[in-house]
Amino acid sequence: MTKKPAVPQNAKPETSLVKRGVAKADPALLKDFLLRPDPQNSGLTERVLGTDQDGKTLEIPVVVEKPLTLFLNGQEIVTMMTIGDYPDYLALGYLLNQNMLKPDDVITAIEVDEELDLVVVRTERATNYEEKLKKKTRTSGCAQGTVFGDLMEKFEDVVLSAEARIHTSWIYTLSRKINAAPSLYLEAGAIHGCVLCHGDKPLIYVEDVGRHNAVDKIAGYMFLKGISAEDKIFYTTGRLTSEMVIKTVHMGIPILVSRSGFTAWGVDLARQAGLTLIGRAKGRRFTALAGQERIIFDHDENDLQEEDSRHQRAASRGSEKS
């Protein structure tokens, strides 16, 4: 089994692929990122021949999706479909958000076998989740009932920081910086993005075919790097569903912002947990449905513009919505 460092090298190229009219990325907008997507990584997309509506042959990039089997010590836990980058972060984040890892666990090794598509997390503490995994199998083939129960285990016990704040000017600045960053979304579409932010600075930007995977990657990164959550903002391109709210609360992050809309249950859970929930954040507009007391309205209307179409995150091909 080949071993890979728990914290991979994060150096990213400072150039952007010119797609969909997206101009070359401004280095000033990228300087805050500690980790961000690398659309030039040839292992994350492949080019596929097809036919358009006029019968013409075309070749487009599509996102690669592959299985990754996760082991905790000697026990197989789950097989996830993922784009394959940062398997160490994904594995740790999944285990943390499923309450299989504890915040004070000591990680002795993270082993990645790229040929077998598996990752093994080893801990100093002995673990055995046989009963939980049996319940998962009994619940359903995709195990959603048990997964939800696992996510809710600590939900009511989490106390989010009441001191955290988000300035409206930060929302617009974050949107501009995130939209301008090179990404797999702008290259190929069919993918979700999540960003950990501090103030108006986007720090950790990851993507995956499932928004839950992207959240877990950030949770794993925070765990390995010892990053605190109480003063952070979580930004996502996906819908504000119950799962997104639960995982954000579980991670201890007090503010969740999305370009997309809400579900009623997501709003109810956010209000229950005291989470600030801001959605439909595009251009001049946003809507807050929970935790409005953390919002400081400091933007200047004269400085705001509608979002440039080249940065709008509709699907990268055609008019299909993400």
Side-chain angles (χ1 to χ4, degrees), residues 70-72 75-79 94-95 100 129 133 136:
L70 167 61
F71 286 79
L72 176 57
Q75 187 172 31
E76 182 177 344
I77 302 298
V78 70
T79 296
Y94 179 89
L95 294 171
M100 293 181 176
Y129 291 103
L133 295 173
K136 184 174 294 187

Side-chain angles (χ1 to χ4, degrees), residues 206-251:
V206 296
E207 297 176 298
D208 213 303
V209 287
R211 67 177 64 85
H212 49 279
N213 285 351
V215 177
D216 288 344
K217 286 177 183 178
I218 288 180
Y221 186 99
M222 293 175 70
F223 180 84
L224 282 176
K225 292 287 192 176
I227 296 176
S228 62
E230 62 270 11
D231 60 348
K232 300 302 188 295
I233 298 166
F234 199 93
Y235 182 104
T236 178
T237 61
R239 297 181 299 278
L240 295 172
T241 63
S242 57
E243 181 187 33
M244 286 299 301
V245 168
I246 293 167
K247 286 197 172 186
T248 303
V249 170
H250 188 278
M251 293 161 66

Side-chain angles (χ1 to χ4, degrees), residues 277-290:
L277 194 67
I278 299 171
R280 300 175 181 171
K282 299 178 182 179
R284 294 172 174 264
R285 301 173 179 82
F286 69 82
T287 302
L289 295 185

Side-chain angles (χ1 to χ4, degrees), residues 12-301:
K12 301 295 177 184
E14 293 298 322
T15 58
S16 170
L17 297 179
V18 181
K19 299 288 182 182
R20 302 174 59 214
V22 177
K24 183 176 180 179
D26 181 353
L29 295 178
L30 303 179
K31 65 182 179 61
D32 297 325
F33 290 93
L34 303 176
L35 184 74
R36 59 181 174 82
D38 180 9
Q40 294 182 343
N41 182 340
S42 60
L44 302 182
T45 61
E46 56 185 56
R47 303 196 69 82
V48 177
L49 287 173
T51 307
D52 69 10
Q53 66 280 352
D54 298 318
K56 297 179 180 178
T57 299
L58 75 167
E59 183 184 69
I60 65 168
V62 296
V63 173
V64 170
E65 183 182 17
K66 54 187 172 183
L68 177 70
T69 300
L70 167 61
F71 286 79
L72 176 57
N73 296 313
Q75 187 172 31
E76 182 177 344
I77 302 298
V78 70
T79 296
M80 304 171 281
M81 299 306 298
T82 174
I83 61 175
D85 66 344
Y86 308 117
D88 43 4
Y89 298 156
L90 175 57
L92 286 177
Y94 179 89
L95 294 171
L96 287 164
N97 282 330
Q98 295 300 320
N99 296 308
M100 293 181 176
L101 277 184
K102 302 181 184 302
D104 59 352
D105 269 329
V106 175
I107 307 300
T108 58
I110 303 175
E111 303 166 0
V112 178
D113 191 316
E114 296 179 351
E115 292 184 0
L116 297 178
D117 293 322
L118 61 85
V119 55
V120 181
V121 176
R122 301 192 186 279
T123 62
E124 198 172 83
R125 174 177 63 94
T127 58
N128 187 342
Y129 291 103
E130 183 177 354
E131 290 304 314
K132 178 176 280 195
L133 295 173
K134 283 181 179 178
K135 180 183 175 185
K136 184 174 294 187
T137 302
R138 288 198 302 268
T139 302
S140 67
C142 61
Q144 290 304 307
T146 301
V147 168
F148 179 80
D150 293 343
L151 288 174
M152 289 298 289
E153 281 178 4
K154 297 181 179 178
F155 183 81
E156 295 182 357
D157 298 328
V158 176
V159 178
L160 299 175
S161 172
E163 304 303 317
R165 294 291 181 267
I166 181 168
H167 294 237
T168 53
S169 60
W170 296 353
I171 298 174
Y172 301 118
T173 299
L174 288 171
S175 294
R176 185 173 70 254
K177 290 179 178 179
I178 293 167
N179 288 343
S183 66
L184 287 172
Y185 185 91
L186 294 174
E187 167 68 4
I191 203 162
H192 291 281
C194 290
V195 190
L196 183 71
C197 310
H198 185 218
D200 64 354
K201 295 178 171 56
L203 304 177
I204 315 301
Y205 180 4
V206 296
E207 297 176 298
D208 213 303
V209 287
R211 67 177 64 85
H212 49 279
N213 285 351
V215 177
D216 288 344
K217 286 177 183 178
I218 288 180
Y221 186 99
M222 293 175 70
F223 180 84
L224 282 176
K225 292 287 192 176
I227 296 176
S228 62
E230 62 270 11
D231 60 348
K232 300 302 188 295
I233 298 166
F234 199 93
Y235 182 104
T236 178
T237 61
R239 297 181 299 278
L240 295 172
T241 63
S242 57
E243 181 187 33
M244 286 299 301
V245 168
I246 293 167
K247 286 197 172 186
T248 303
V249 170
H250 188 278
M251 293 161 66
I253 300 173
I255 299 166
L256 175 58
V257 180
S258 174
R259 295 180 51 79
S260 193
F262 312 83
T263 68
W265 200 358
V267 174
D268 288 345
L269 288 171
R271 290 175 175 176
Q272 176 184 332
L275 174 74
T276 297
L277 194 67
I278 299 171
R280 300 175 181 171
K282 299 178 182 179
R284 294 172 174 264
R285 301 173 179 82
F286 69 82
T287 302
L289 295 185
Q292 291 93 326
E293 67 276 4
R294 290 195 183 93
I295 302 174
I296 297 174
F297 292 83
D298 68 337
H299 64 279
D300 186 340
E301 285 287 343

